[in-house]
Amino acid sequence: MRRPFALVVSALALFAVATPALAQLGPQDDDNRTRRERDQRDQEFNATPAPLRERPNAGPCPFVRILYDAARYVEFEGGQQTYSAVGYTGEIEGVEAECVYREADPIRIDMNILFHLGRGPQATDGQRTYRYWVAVTERNSAILAKEYFDLPVNFNGDDRTYVTEEIRGLTIPRRDITVSGSNFEVLVGFEVTPEMAEFNRNGARFRANAGAPSE
């Protein structure tokens, strides 16, 4: 789904993109169907780059990455961290972004975000609206801007699905021509509860269709 980025960063800086630090893929025991689906989606995702590719810039782009604590979304019924208690799940599997800026112009970035979403045994419906965010920060410092997005998903009877979101028109003003994109970074993540963030920090893992019966 294509989404305009309505939020414009205050006049402090810049924006752009480089290869992100991607969330780690699923566990080794993924079945063959999951691997084939992932390979197909990766090929499609990488074959549809953001439209700013190969436009010359006045300097380097900011670093873009998935925030580790918010890279995965796993619901547990009753607070039990077991497969049988899993409701809806999600993982941000990749981000591709391109930026452009020349002379003293603002920096503009377009980006594609690949989501892998799933239903466990406690999922009660074939539809779910996830919530995620995109933030611009000073490198390793304060957040300059943050915007939230709703991601409605229809599983169409399946226990997992992939969705690519397109973010278009994120603009960061630059103070002057000397401001470089390398001073900033862009972060992407799910809106998660403190318990979900702790689960992610601990490195515990469930695949996107955790708890679903084997085929």
Side-chain angles (χ1 to χ4, degrees):
M1 180 181 296
R2 174 168 294 187
R3 299 183 184 276
F5 200 92
L7 184 150
V8 177
V9 180
S10 63
L12 183 63
L14 83 183
F15 184 103
V17 129
T19 303
L22 299 183
Q24 187 177 1
L25 296 180
Q28 292 182 353
D29 63 350
D30 274 15
D31 57 36
N32 290 333
R33 193 187 81 167
T34 302
R35 292 193 184 95
R36 290 196 300 270
E37 289 176 347
R38 177 183 298 126
D39 291 344
Q40 180 179 356
R41 291 298 302 181
D42 286 347
Q43 291 174 5
E44 294 174 358
F45 179 67
N46 293 326
T48 55
L52 300 180
R53 185 179 295 278
E54 297 188 8
R55 298 185 67 184
N57 292 326
C61 287
F63 185 64
V64 176
R65 67 187 181 93
I66 302 164
L67 186 66
Y68 185 79
D69 290 3
R72 291 174 293 125
Y73 180 97
V74 183
E75 293 181 355
F76 293 104
E77 292 295 325
Q80 300 294 319
Q81 293 187 4
T82 63
Y83 283 103
S84 61
V86 173
Y88 296 92
T89 66
E91 184 166 3
I92 304 175
E93 291 207 350
V95 178
E96 182 185 68
E98 298 288 341
C99 79
V100 60
Y101 63 105
R102 302 180 182 84
E103 299 178 346
D105 292 344
I107 299 172
R108 176 189 167 188
I109 185 169
D110 290 349
M111 56 196 300
N112 298 334
I113 308 171
L114 178 62
F115 292 88
H116 188 196
L117 309 165
R119 297 189 298 160
Q122 297 301 319
T124 58
D125 196 358
Q127 298 179 338
R128 176 68 172 176
T129 296
Y130 295 82
R131 191 164 175 82
Y132 70 97
W133 49 263
V134 176
V136 181
T137 76
E138 291 185 78
R139 194 70 178 269
N140 299 318
S141 185
I143 294 177
L144 301 176
K146 187 175 184 179
E147 184 166 348
Y148 290 87
F149 299 91
D150 288 329
L151 176 59
V153 176
N154 190 333
F155 288 93
N156 295 314
D158 294 328
D159 54 39
R160 75 201 81 171
T161 189
Y162 287 89
V163 176
T164 298
E165 285 276 271
E166 301 177 3
I167 304 295
R168 297 292 178 258
L170 173 55
T171 301
I172 302 178
R174 300 161 65 208
R175 184 179 61 245
D176 55 45
I177 197 171
T178 65
V179 175
S180 169
S182 61
N183 296 318
F184 296 81
E185 66 181 351
V186 179
L187 303 176
V188 179
F190 284 106
E191 183 178 26
V192 296
T193 66
E195 293 76 16
M196 291 178 183
E198 183 65 23
F199 179 81
N200 292 338
R201 280 193 295 270
N202 290 338
R205 301 195 63 82
F206 288 100
R207 58 185 175 184
N209 63 324
S214 301
E215 295 181 357

